Amino acid sequence: MHDQSSFIRSRLHRFRQEYLPAALYRERTPLRLTRWDVPDEPVPFAEAVVAEFVPFVAGAGAESHWGSPWGTTWFHVTGTLPEGWSERADSRVEALVDLGFNAAGPGFQAEATAYDADGRIIKGIEPLNAWVPRHGITPDGRTVDFYVEAAANPYVPENGWFIPTPLGSKATAGRAPLYELRSLDLVLLDVPVWELTQDVQVLAGYLDELPADSPRVAGIEAALDRMLDAVDPRDLASTAPAGRKALEAALASPAVASAHQVVATGHAHIDSAWLWPTRETVRKCARTFSNVLDLMEEDADLVFACSSAQQLEWIRLTYPELFERIRTRAVEGRFVPVGGMWVESDTNLPGGEALARQLVEGKLFFLEHFGIDTSEVWLPDSFGYSAALPQLVRASGSTYFLTQKISWNDTNRMPHHTFHWEGIDGTRVFTHFPPVDTYTSDLSARDLRRAERQFREKGRTNISLVPFGWGDGGGGPTREMLAAAHRQADLEGAPRVTLGSPRQFFERAEADYPSPPVWSGELYLEYHRGTYTSQARTKRGNRRSEHLLREAELWATLAAVRAGRDYPYDELQRLWRVVLLNQFHDILPGSSISWVHEEAERDYAEVESAVETIIDESLKAVLEEGDSQIITNAGPYDIAGVPALGGTTGTSARSSATVTSDGRGAVLAGDALRVRVDARGELTSVLDLLADREVLPAGTTANRLQLFEDIPNQWDAWDVNDHYRRNEIELRSDATVTIEDDAVVVTRSISESTVRQRISLSPDGRAVEVDLTIDWHERQRLLKVAVPVDVLAERATSEIQFGHVHRPIHQNTSWDAARFETCAHRWVHVGETGYGVAVANDATYGHDIQRIVTADGVATQVRLSLLRAPQFPDPDADTGRHRMRYSIRPGSSVPDAVAEGYRMNLPLRRVTGARAPEPVLTVDEPAIVVEAVKLAADRSGDVVVRLYEAYGSRATGTLRAGFGLADAVETDLLEREVERRAVREVTGENVRLQLRPFELVTIRLRGC
Ligand SMILES: [Zn+2]
């Protein structure tokens, strides 16, 4: 046979470009329009429809322009259904809108919400999904009357993904209209032509995905050729059915026995903020969810997974009618809450209790409003996954975990797609990385074949999940994607596609693969390493808020138990939810537009002020009126004689250090340390007097500020590339050194910025503390502070949530080398047998810890990443004032580092009152750390305490309640009773505990 392949493909190409789309609508007629531009921020329907609308015409060039950046324009759309358009089986009446769509794709540009005349949301309008169904637009079947709320969202990366843009803030984006409303028409969709389009789309997709010399490809080509013969391109309205007939056999040919199995879950990744502010996300959710509900009317098989409680809460508060429709579909098991988190949070940066609350708030919301106990944690897009997560997933009552982001690794490929993920405490969670490598699949042949090709468990199991639907900026599934799903349910050459929920997938996958391989420890993302540092004020706000909330809950609990004060349940929940929202995976990591980060900083200021009020009022109730000086300690360890979780009367001991100037610098000296500071503020010697040991390697200095060129290859806010290390900028050394009280104060300019450092010894004299105030005016630069330590360490220990991880600091393998920037929470520790040093901080997360060669041999250098200055998507990221503290604690063990981390983040508080607070509870074993004390969410008055083993050891100890104790039960994170594991015995006020390494325990204490 002669080879006809290329001729058939060319013929098909022209047909698909020219004739198929042109025949999609049998008729088309413009509708009458009036418009109203919202003066500023979006308004509800009721407010919009009574505004003064003015005549408007679509498709008339400049006359049809609308929408300055971030503006909203309402269109009132009216008309009459033309005679003869009455519904037939082979055609559908719809409205079709072109807002002036560009090539940016759904969710990244203009989008709109269609409302019927009564204000009920009909559907979202977005590129590639821009139709509005008849039922919403013609209340009586004859007259057309509906509204379109159009959002002029700009395409922020219009000039590229690393070019500074003014579009990320209303203040700088300008007023010029961004879009032209090209058309808003009533159309008559030709159903057979649409169906033929879907047939062709699916079959043609396999021409490039299957081996070119396979019989299947030849068969598809021949079928498409017959289809082209069967139709009249000039009269598809009459001949499309014949064309479909010609493709029937090719579409009916069943999948092979070994075909990969795909559970396709409808989804819309909706970033809670990113290249748009949260207020726009509220509307994105409404558009997306109404799209989904509309599709569900058409297709009984669609299952949609919705992952953020926060987004449904926005809908509940803003669009209650839509929320009720969602609930109806949720009851049917089709609109499926998943994820169990308040938002799809980052998991590197949030503290332990915050990550627990993400799960608590998320799961409680889904239980309260949907009666659904979610079973899977769903984080497709966060930038790496903490080794604390498996235990937290389990402790929340969930069993499964899903992400795909690790496929973005820039160096190493993960060996598994379906596996048991083991956390620091040994807890294992059944985990899946969809091998399709996207959370926005369109169910094309390309995506499905990629999933099949890449799946690494082949031969042992053969099932994967494919999340489909437009995403990042929302959108969700379309009818075209569903058409593709159905055509590929059992199709030769394709994976077998079933529409289903994540839980259905996980249950099938686990049954099919009961003993999967194990990945132990963190899922480090070899990418986006700058997100530990970018937008430092957002990060400090998060850290500070987490610790303030701990304090507020502790003192409010004490006030409730001791003084009968009302516990501020609602206010604390509200404040926690603000903090949780800002842990979203583009806010806390620092990768959003300036609008978002300005809002986050305002949020944190509001949280601080509200939490301080709770703390203040709670302490007043506990301490009563009086004028004694009282110091309180909300931390889990005694600090300078102030007991943990309690307080003492008197003034706290200041450090007994002496400070003397030696002409060019200064010397700080106490009983344990003698520290020499030079004229630039660098430490030239840190002498550990107790160990009789110089901490710094020969020829090095500590507290050394280093400035680097930081121009990532792409993704400014997200990435640090390792070439920064070879591009250090020499700093001028002009500085002033003064002595203030017991501290050395160094003020220094570096490049365009100034740094003020207050260097002192801690109250116990065991740590050097540096308090930095930085006025930062750099562009694309990275500021680090280096602390070289004369120890031969093989690994660094870094605090994560509820424990710590060890990471090698050599670069033997590509995995070690790729980990050149890492995330740690309050402390890192490096050491050799018998001696170690802790470096703690109260604001930063990015670190690099590596070997250095000195005159005496190999030593270890700890560096904290203090500030960056990325220019995209926020051109002014990090500009301005910053405050951060860190400490160097020589002679530290890991337990010392744990205590130092709390001390730096929970400073003592000085108040006045009648008497010092007696702790609401105490724990006599330092390895067992109290992370949270609060009253139970069920408002029973029970005290809930969350504890964990912090050293990586077995720990036995006694928790002693500071009130009459009737009983103590173990619970999950949601405070639901579970089988006892750690609680061994309850006698009187004493609860005997036994914890495994890093074990997390929640205990509900019932008072009597
Ligand atoms: Zn995302």
Side-chain angles (χ1 to χ4, degrees), residues 92-361:
R92 289 170 58 139
V93 174
E94 296 173 353
L96 187 67
V97 188
D98 185 345
L99 295 169
F101 294 127
N102 56 46
F108 289 89
Q109 56 168 300
E111 43 190 318
T113 318
Y115 292 78
D116 71 15
D118 296 325
R120 184 178 193 267
I121 293 181
I122 311 166
K123 184 178 166 294
I125 296 166
E126 313 183 38
L128 307 171
N129 190 5
W131 55 280
V132 189
R134 174 185 179 164
H135 64 79
I137 62 179
T138 58
D140 59 3
R142 256 338 305 145
T143 324
V144 176
D145 187 359
F146 69 104
Y147 289 85
V148 171
E149 181 196 19
N153 299 338
Y155 180 47
V156 173
E158 61 174 1
N159 296 318
W161 284 85
F162 42 79
I163 306 296
T165 167
L167 290 171
S169 161
K170 272 198 299 188
T172 53
R175 299 290 301 160
L178 291 177
Y179 298 101
E180 178 201 341
L181 187 80
R182 292 200 195 99
S183 59
L184 209 169
D185 297 339
L186 203 60
V187 295
L188 200 55
L189 178 81
D190 188 317
V191 174
V193 171
W194 184 86
E195 296 283 1
L196 176 64
T197 307
Q198 311 316 313
D199 293 347
V200 170
Q201 176 76 15
V202 167
L203 285 174
Y206 284 93
L207 293 180
D208 296 324
E209 292 300 324
L210 296 173
D213 56 0
S214 65
R216 178 57 170 161
V217 164
I220 291 174
E221 272 175 357
L224 288 166
D225 203 24
R226 284 195 296 276
M227 178 275 292
L228 290 164
D229 290 341
V231 297
D232 176 352
R234 273 181 280 264
D235 185 15
L236 280 176
S238 310
T239 57
R244 295 200 69 203
K245 189 106 191 118
L247 296 176
E248 240 170 36
L251 283 164
S253 183
V256 297
S258 63
H260 185 59
Q261 297 162 47
V262 159
V263 173
T265 297
H267 186 53
H269 188 71
I270 309 179
D271 287 320
S272 291
W274 179 29
L275 303 176
W276 45 85
T278 51
R279 71 92 155 136
E280 193 53 36
T281 312
V282 179
R283 299 198 294 181
K284 282 175 177 288
C285 292
R287 293 176 201 123
T288 302
F289 298 160
S290 58
N291 284 346
V292 169
L293 295 174
D294 183 72
L295 266 187
M296 283 179 177
E297 298 288 333
E298 303 285 316
D299 193 316
D301 296 328
L302 172 62
V303 177
F304 179 78
C306 175
S307 68
S308 293
Q310 167 72 83
Q311 297 183 353
L312 286 165
E313 173 68 350
W314 281 329
I315 294 296
R316 189 178 75 84
L317 297 174
T318 318
Y319 307 100
E321 184 272 336
L322 182 62
F323 187 75
E324 284 312 313
R325 281 192 273 154
I326 289 172
R327 286 216 318 185
T328 307
R329 290 302 190 191
V331 169
E332 295 168 8
R334 300 184 60 202
F335 196 108
V336 186
V338 295
M341 293 177 82
W342 187 247
V343 294
E344 285 187 16
S345 84
D346 182 83
T347 79
N348 290 314
L349 310 167
E353 188 58 25
L355 212 44
R357 297 298 170 97
Q358 287 285 357
L359 290 157
V360 170
E361 287 296 326

Side-chain angles (χ1 to χ4, degrees), residues 269-274 276 344 380-383 405 439 472 584-586:
H269 188 71
I270 309 179
D271 287 320
S272 291
W274 179 29
W276 45 85
E344 285 187 16
D381 193 30
S382 305
F383 309 146
K405 198 71 180 182
Y439 45 76
D472 288 320
F584 175 72
H585 65 255
D586 282 307

Side-chain angles (χ1 to χ4, degrees), residues 4 59 78 97 219 232 266 275 278 353 388 478 492 496 833 982:
Q4 295 288 305
T78 51
V97 188
D232 176 352
L275 303 176
T278 51
E353 188 58 25
T478 63
E492 187 189 352
R496 249 190 211 96
T833 304

